[in-house]
Amino acid sequence: MKFNWKKIIAGAVTVAGAVALLAGSSYLKPATANAASDSSSVSAIKKRGTLRVAVFGDLPPYGWVNKDGKRVGYDVKLARRMAKDLGVKPKFIQVNANNRVDTLNSNKADIVLANFTVTPERKKVVDFAKPYMKVSVGVVSPKKKAITKVSQLKGKKVIVTKGTTAENYFTSKQPGVNLLKFDSKTQQFNALKNNRAAALADDNSYLYAWVKNNPKYTVGIKSIGPKQYISPAVKKGNKSLLNWSNKEITKLNEARLNYVAVEKDQAHNLIDCVLGLFKSTNSSSYRFSSVLKFSSQ
């Protein structure tokens, strides 16, 4: 039996072309932004009865687990309020800084409320709602060997958490600094206590909270790099939840709802705290004009 190889090859090319066309269609593509966000749309969340929120588990005053095993912090407070206003219950998904985006993209969470700083790079991969906080990078070090100027860090080790604005800043703007990188906040602060580096860099908001409970350390550099905003983040293209979140933040800001409790000394560097409750009286030190005691109860 003879085979007409020209016809066989031509047929194979035709089939391959058809497969290629299918591959170029939505059939074999990763879920599009709109399709992928269906499970996180407002209607889907209400139908499911839960709002899946990505939060930190070890980062006071944003989100952590207290001694009683309860999730607390003002990112957690905001999450509970948003869930309440949606008429559903919150379901918390614990994340680290370097897997916040992956948690959204893998549809494990509907929204991220985990001290997520808005940056141009992150805007390419997630959609940010209106901001509820303003921060910048700070540097903490032992009081006995306080770091007060960036020039003191040249050639020295500085601890950062992977995927943070602190890591990005020092990588791009301070190449003379040697970075010691960790996956979690707990790991990075333990490394500082174990004298593995000269200093630690992170968002100044919770560095102030940390030194409050660790008086042997000081935030010697209170602000470095650009001032940036903290916002809720949703999956790219999830317009339903994005629009709802924007309206919610606006509503809560206007209402000045008094449900977030923040100890003055723990958060005195924040300008716009959750829901806009606190007004800055000193733009250089970010002190609040009115605050409540932060309780983990």
Side-chain angles (χ1 to χ4, degrees):
M1 180 178 180
K2 293 184 178 181
F3 294 96
N4 190 329
W5 292 107
K6 289 184 179 180
K7 288 185 178 181
I8 292 174
I9 292 171
V13 170
T14 301
V15 172
V19 172
L21 286 173
L22 284 173
S25 70
S26 60
Y27 179 73
L28 293 179
K29 273 187 176 181
T32 62
N34 289 334
S37 63
D38 284 347
S39 63
S40 293
S41 67
V42 172
S43 59
I45 291 168
K46 290 182 176 181
K47 184 177 181 179
R48 187 173 61 236
T50 57
L51 175 66
R52 302 170 301 173
V53 188
V55 296
F56 282 133
D58 59 353
L59 186 62
Y62 293 98
W64 77 102
V65 179
N66 67 10
K67 61 182 179 181
D68 299 319
K70 182 181 178 182
R71 291 195 181 277
V72 293
Y74 43 79
D75 277 348
V76 175
K77 284 277 189 178
L78 180 57
R80 294 187 192 280
R81 180 54 189 262
M82 293 177 81
K84 179 181 178 182
D85 289 351
L86 277 167
V88 299
K89 294 182 179 180
K91 179 180 180 180
F92 296 107
I93 311 297
Q94 188 164 311
V95 294
N96 291 323
N98 61 347
N99 70 342
R100 289 173 293 193
V101 173
D102 288 342
T103 300
L104 278 179
N105 287 340
S106 59
N107 296 318
K108 294 177 182 177
D110 304 309
I111 191 167
V112 173
L113 291 172
N115 186 40
F116 213 179
T117 308
V118 179
T119 67
E121 294 76 19
R122 289 171 179 168
K123 282 184 177 181
K124 295 176 183 178
V125 292
V126 300
D127 283 336
F128 285 104
K130 290 184 177 180
Y132 59 90
M133 198 173 296
K134 188 175 182 180
V135 296
S136 62
V137 174
V139 177
V140 64
S141 55
K143 282 184 177 179
K144 292 182 178 180
K145 297 180 180 180
I147 301 294
T148 58
K149 297 181 296 183
V150 181
S151 58
Q152 293 175 267
L153 295 173
K154 188 174 182 180
K156 295 183 178 179
K157 291 182 179 179
V158 173
I159 296 166
V160 295
T161 299
K162 296 175 185 177
T164 60
T165 50
E167 180 194 13
N168 294 337
Y169 170 78
F170 277 95
T171 299
S172 61
K173 303 297 184 182
Q174 303 294 335
V177 175
N178 300 317
L179 297 183
L180 189 58
K181 305 177 183 182
F182 293 92
D183 291 320
S184 73
K185 304 300 180 183
T186 300
Q187 290 174 345
Q188 72 165 6
F189 284 119
N190 284 340
L192 181 64
K193 289 181 176 180
N194 290 328
N195 300 313
R196 295 185 59 184
L200 181 152
D202 218 320
D203 282 2
N204 55 9
S205 54
Y206 54 82
L207 291 185
Y208 280 104
W210 189 81
V211 297
K212 174 69 176 177
N213 296 319
N214 295 272
K216 292 183 179 180
Y217 296 85
T218 181
V219 184
I221 300 178
K222 295 176 173 56
S223 179
I224 185 174
K227 304 296 186 296
Q228 295 176 305
Y229 291 94
I230 304 296
S231 292
V234 301
K235 191 167 184 177
K236 199 74 177 171
N238 188 354
K239 294 182 179 180
S240 173
L241 187 55
L242 178 66
N243 293 338
W244 184 91
S245 298
N246 282 332
K247 292 177 182 178
E248 177 76 352
I249 294 296
T250 298
K251 181 186 73 173
L252 296 176
N253 269 313
E254 291 174 350
R256 297 289 187 269
L257 294 178
N258 230 356
Y259 72 82
V260 177
V262 181
E263 183 176 330
K264 185 173 183 178
D265 288 337
Q266 286 186 337
H268 70 269
N269 70 314
L270 299 179
I271 289 181
D272 297 314
C273 192
V274 177
L275 316 183
L277 290 178
F278 307 117
K279 293 298 183 179
S280 171
T281 57
N282 184 329
S283 60
S284 63
S285 62
Y286 310 118
R287 294 187 180 277
F288 294 136
S289 59
S290 62
V291 288
L292 300 173
K293 182 175 177 60
F294 199 143
S295 171
S296 61
Q297 299 177 352

